[in-house]
Amino acid sequence: MNLFRFLGDLSHLLAIILLLLKIWKSRSCAGISGKSQVLFAVVFTARYLDLFTNYISLYNTCMKVVYIACSFTTVWLIYSKFKATYDGNHDTFRVEFLVVPTAILAFLVNHDFTPLEILWTFSIYLESVAILPQLFMVSKTGEAETITSHYLFALGVYRTLYLFNWIWRYHFEGFFDLIAIVAGLVQTVLYCDFFYLYITKVLKGKKLSLPA
Amino acid sequence: VEPSAGHDEL
């Protein structure tokens, strides 16, 4: 495992824990898209079914379990424990527009036509667009709390570092997985506009608000 | 690319 991959995983973990802590400490999930969080829970579940079939390393297994556990906890906080604070009126992205096309694509473009492999492929495609309900929510309300911005930034950094990891692996190991790379590129591009706002506003101490 | 070998990334 190279440094990019490891830092990418840590950044992903940081994002997930940051969101959990934010909701828990503030006792509120205002400004957070429950739909994006449900999509991420679906992504982890579909991808990590190989926990039962394929052992890779203790690190790999632990991270997968933590990601899944945190992800489901977040969904539970939003839709049950702090349901009263959930901003459903602004969380109006139609997730079927993401789930249906990515599911169809997973059936058409995959490495191997087996149930686990199709689910893995579906999770890769779905992850690349799963943040859209959250970004849509931010654009609809015109702003995001600073901690939400940090969450989105860490999440964007994660896939960006994975791109460097894939360049590294291609160069030194001759390894490449085109499905993951293309989806990862799409995912990273979706964050670019946000990266710009984050660097020009949030890092200068301002709250992230979009021009009217 | 050898999918049968499993996916070692997260």
Side-chain angles (χ1 to χ4, degrees):
Chain A
M1 180 162 65
N2 59 67
L3 193 62
F4 295 119
R5 154 81 201 280
F6 182 61
L7 291 178
D9 288 346
L10 283 191
S11 178
H12 197 182
L13 188 64
L14 175 75
I16 292 169
I17 290 176
L18 203 62
L19 183 66
L20 258 182
L21 281 179
K22 173 208 148 61
I23 296 175
W24 187 255
K25 295 261 178 192
S26 67
R27 322 295 288 173
S28 163
C29 51
I32 302 300
S33 165
K35 291 184 174 182
S36 275
Q37 295 310 313
V38 168
L39 292 182
F40 283 126
V42 170
V43 163
F44 289 139
T45 309
R47 188 176 307 169
Y48 299 157
L49 287 174
D50 68 351
L51 273 172
F52 299 104
T53 62
N54 192 18
Y55 179 79
I56 291 162
S57 66
L58 185 62
Y59 169 83
N60 197 284
T61 300
C62 289
M63 292 296 261
K64 284 173 175 172
V65 170
V66 169
Y67 285 178
I68 291 177
C70 288
S71 174
F72 276 90
T73 306
T74 304
V75 169
W76 171 71
L77 289 179
I78 295 173
Y79 286 101
S80 178
K81 184 143 180 76
F82 300 127
K83 193 181 176 187
T85 64
Y86 169 52
D87 208 0
N89 289 338
H90 286 125
D91 194 12
T92 51
F93 195 95
R94 300 277 297 273
V95 288
E96 59 269 38
F97 291 155
L98 303 179
V99 175
V100 174
T102 51
I104 293 172
L105 194 61
F107 271 96
L108 297 177
V109 184
N110 52 57
H111 292 310
D112 199 7
F113 203 78
T114 59
L116 269 187
E117 191 59 27
I118 290 169
L119 280 169
W120 178 86
T121 313
F122 168 61
S123 83
I124 293 287
Y125 294 151
L126 185 61
E127 184 192 348
S128 68
V129 292
I131 200 59
L132 284 177
Q134 179 65 61
L135 294 178
F136 182 71
M137 198 173 177
V138 171
S139 74
K140 212 173 175 204
T141 58
E143 59 176 33
E145 283 180 44
T146 300
I147 194 83
T148 307
S149 305
H150 294 331
Y151 161 71
L152 285 168
F153 183 71
L155 209 55
V157 164
Y158 140 64
R159 222 41 174 174
T160 310
L161 284 167
Y162 256 70
L163 290 183
F164 289 106
N165 156 54
W166 292 322
I167 293 170
W168 179 283
R169 291 192 73 175
Y170 179 69
H171 189 77
F172 291 103
E173 301 166 27
F175 169 91
F176 73 100
D177 182 333
L178 206 54
I179 287 177
I181 292 171
V182 173
L185 266 170
V186 170
Q187 191 170 344
T188 306
V189 166
L190 290 181
Y191 284 88
C192 281
D193 186 42
F194 172 79
F195 280 156
Y196 174 76
L197 287 171
Y198 184 83
I199 290 163
T200 55
K201 291 200 172 176
V202 182
L203 288 186
K204 288 178 182 158
K206 293 180 206 160
K207 193 173 170 179
L208 194 148
S209 58
L210 302 175
Chain B
V1 186
E2 290 171 28
S4 55
H7 304 285
D8 63 344
E9 291 177 346
L10 291 169

